[in-house]
Amino acid sequence: MVALGSFVGTTIEWYDFFLYGTAAALVFSPLFFPDVSPAIGLIAAFGTYAVGFLARPLGGIVAGHVGDRVGRKSMLVASLLIMGISTTLIGLLPSHASIGIWAPILLLILRLVQGFGVGGEWGGAALMSVESAPPNRRGFYGSFTQIGVSAGMLLAVGAFSISRTLLDEETFLAWGWRVPFLISGLLVFVGLLIRIGLSEPEKFAEMKQKDTIADKPVVELFRNEKRAVVLTTGMRLSQNAIYYLYTVFGIAYIARSLGAESSIGLNSVLIASTIGIVSVPVWALLSDKYGRRPLYLFGAVTSALFIGPFFILADTGNPVLITLAMVIGLNFFHDAMYGPQAAFFSEMFSTGVRYSGASVGYQIGSVFAGGFSPLIATSLLALNNGSPWLVVGYFTILSIITAVCAYLAPETNNKDIDADLPPSAPLSTSSGQGMPSPSNV
């Protein structure tokens, strides 16, 4: 039930968040930034998209404090409400033609609220799944949170794809793009019904009953477990950047090559997101058996090697090759990192600061990589006269950082996460299992 609650809630939250990214790639430029060239309008649209990521660390810090002090469940309910309300309001927002400069300003404000809400979502959902899981299946149970992200993308892209298929371009720009945003209100109601019925993980409930909860979780986190924050932040860079390069910037790049009316980019993401519902838990199960670190390293290295071939295949204009490139990049290489991530990041921290630690590391990495990657990639593309090779170089640098951090991270799949060992404990050998230190690789 806990895994299902995490899956449903996360699906709805990320449906809301991904709607904005898809709309930024397809409609926000002409509707909210009509007075500039299409290229500058797209950069401006991706700029408002990136701003949402700036609010995510703040959301993660606030949610981490409340989640580690009051409870995981309370924060998850609050984050779902915040996301649902802000997304519905975006669907009701007048365009630039109606209210002028206030349209992009209000869009920016609502995107910040979205970012704040989603900043508290992932850490709580991941923790609820991982802390309630059998010790030898934490990767698999944690992947339900990750599957929710794939399912959210699937629903968001699917909603836009259906709208564009059923409506002509003029009708879609007039009002059709709003429908997916307005559907969010109904989805949030369903998610709330499920989440309200969840129970707190046993270890956290015990700590709360014994009044051993940290007074200032975030302060204690940076005092005692700062190294884990740095490593999780670094491990987030490549995974997050490649995801948004494919699913947001990639859609715009393919549309630029094939025409704005083409749905090939959207459909390829739709197919990869569908496969992700299976590939993510498969990679997570493999991490339960073989460890988190080897799979994470594999995903970081192969993602860096494939980004160049992805653009080559995207430039062919062939729907089959474009879809194949999206599936290989996301499901085979990206998901090798993303499948184990919920368990890996949660296991890096002790129970008393786990919500704060997982949220802060995850969300800071999101700012540095995911939020700005479509904006940076679009700018680099324009700087290099439409050639994607500067984008390839940018992503390669992020992948190197991620690979180094994954190499330095402890192997955690055999760790007793309820033991509340000191932060240095995971780096020492306790049973000879796993890969306790880089020197053993």
Side-chain angles (χ1 to χ4, degrees):
M1 182 61 183
V2 173
L4 176 63
S6 293
F7 167 72
V8 173
T10 304
T11 298
I12 295 167
E13 290 251 13
W14 287 98
Y15 167 81
D16 290 353
F17 202 71
F18 286 140
L19 275 182
Y20 194 103
T22 307
L26 297 176
V27 301
F28 283 169
S29 176
L31 291 177
F32 292 92
F33 305 97
D35 298 332
V36 296
S37 68
I40 298 300
L42 183 60
I43 290 174
F46 280 152
T48 62
Y49 172 78
V51 163
F53 284 77
L54 291 176
R56 285 173 65 169
L58 178 60
I61 290 171
V62 172
H65 177 83
V66 175
D68 283 329
R69 287 284 304 158
V70 179
R72 281 61 163 133
K73 172 183 167 180
S74 300
M75 196 58 238
L76 285 177
V77 170
S79 67
L80 189 59
L81 280 173
I82 292 170
M83 281 295 292
I85 292 171
S86 59
T87 301
T88 303
L89 289 176
I90 290 174
L92 298 172
L93 193 62
S95 67
H96 188 280
S98 299
I99 59 174
I101 190 64
W102 281 105
I105 290 175
L106 291 173
L107 182 68
L108 188 71
I109 292 171
L110 290 174
R111 181 59 177 174
L112 284 168
V113 176
Q114 265 198 334
F116 181 87
V118 83
E121 163 63 24
W122 183 87
L127 263 59
M128 289 286 285
S129 297
V130 172
E131 291 180 334
S132 302
N136 63 338
R137 284 291 180 267
R138 291 196 299 257
F140 176 69
Y141 277 75
S143 72
F144 279 81
T145 301
Q146 313 299 76
I147 301 169
V149 179
S150 295
M153 170 61 83
L154 175 62
L155 289 177
V157 175
F160 265 97
S161 184
I162 291 171
S163 296
R164 296 195 78 187
T165 301
L166 295 179
L167 304 172
D168 59 59
E169 188 70 14
E170 182 179 352
T171 305
F172 177 73
L173 286 175
W175 58 264
W177 68 272
R178 299 179 183 275
V179 175
F181 285 90
L182 298 177
I183 290 173
S184 173
L186 176 62
L187 295 177
V188 167
F189 177 73
V190 175
L192 286 174
L193 290 179
I194 295 174
R195 283 199 164 170
I196 288 173
L198 297 179
S199 301
E200 295 286 0
E202 184 178 343
K203 176 64 176 179
F204 179 80
E206 178 186 327
M207 291 178 65
K208 194 170 182 181
Q209 184 179 13
K210 294 180 178 179
D211 198 22
T212 56
I213 300 292
D215 290 329
K216 298 177 180 178
V218 176
V219 174
E220 293 191 23
L221 170 70
F222 282 98
R223 179 186 298 136
N224 300 319
E225 305 187 32
K226 181 166 57 179
R227 182 175 187 270
V229 175
V230 173
L231 291 177
T232 51
T233 298
M235 286 192 289
R236 179 78 166 136
L237 297 182
S238 174
Q239 174 272 309
N240 204 220
I242 196 63
Y243 190 81
Y244 288 106
L245 279 174
Y246 287 148
T247 61
V248 178
F249 173 76
I251 290 176
Y253 183 86
I254 293 167
R256 185 203 67 163
S257 301
L258 302 179
E261 70 282 356
S262 173
S263 296
I264 292 176
L266 274 174
N267 291 337
S268 66
V269 172
L270 197 65
I271 292 170
S273 297
T274 304
I275 296 173
I277 295 175
V278 176
S279 62
V280 168
V282 167
W283 284 110
L285 277 170
L286 289 173
S287 79
D288 282 329
K289 184 174 182 180
Y290 298 108
R292 322 286 186 220
R293 288 175 65 240
L295 301 187
Y296 218 97
L297 280 166
F298 169 79
V301 172
T302 52
S303 291
L305 294 175
F306 186 69
I307 186 68
F310 171 82
F311 285 112
I312 293 173
L313 292 172
D315 283 334
T316 65
N318 185 304
V320 175
L321 292 179
I322 289 173
T323 302
L324 181 64
M326 195 70 74
V327 168
I328 292 173
L330 285 176
N331 304 125
F332 284 89
F333 300 146
H334 165 270
D335 288 354
M337 293 182 280
Y338 201 58
Q341 190 179 80
F344 201 3
F345 285 17
S346 298
E347 291 162 349
M348 293 277 285
F349 301 95
S350 59
T351 304
V353 298
R354 185 170 292 137
Y355 201 137
S356 298
S359 295
V360 170
Y362 185 93
Q363 302 303 348
I364 292 177
S366 298
V367 173
F368 289 143
F372 287 97
S373 59
L375 177 62
I376 293 172
T378 304
S379 302
L380 290 174
L381 193 69
L383 182 65
N384 205 33
N385 299 316
S387 172
W389 296 107
L390 287 179
V391 180
V392 173
Y394 156 68
F395 178 72
T396 301
I397 292 172
L398 295 182
S399 292
I400 291 172
I401 296 172
T402 291
V404 170
C405 289
Y407 178 76
L408 294 175
E411 179 55 72
T412 61
N413 70 326
N414 292 311
K415 175 185 176 182
D416 181 2
I417 62 171
D418 290 333
D420 279 332
L421 300 173
S424 60
L427 298 178
S428 61
T429 305
S430 58
S431 61
Q433 295 175 318
M435 293 184 295
S437 70
S439 61
N440 291 341
V441 177

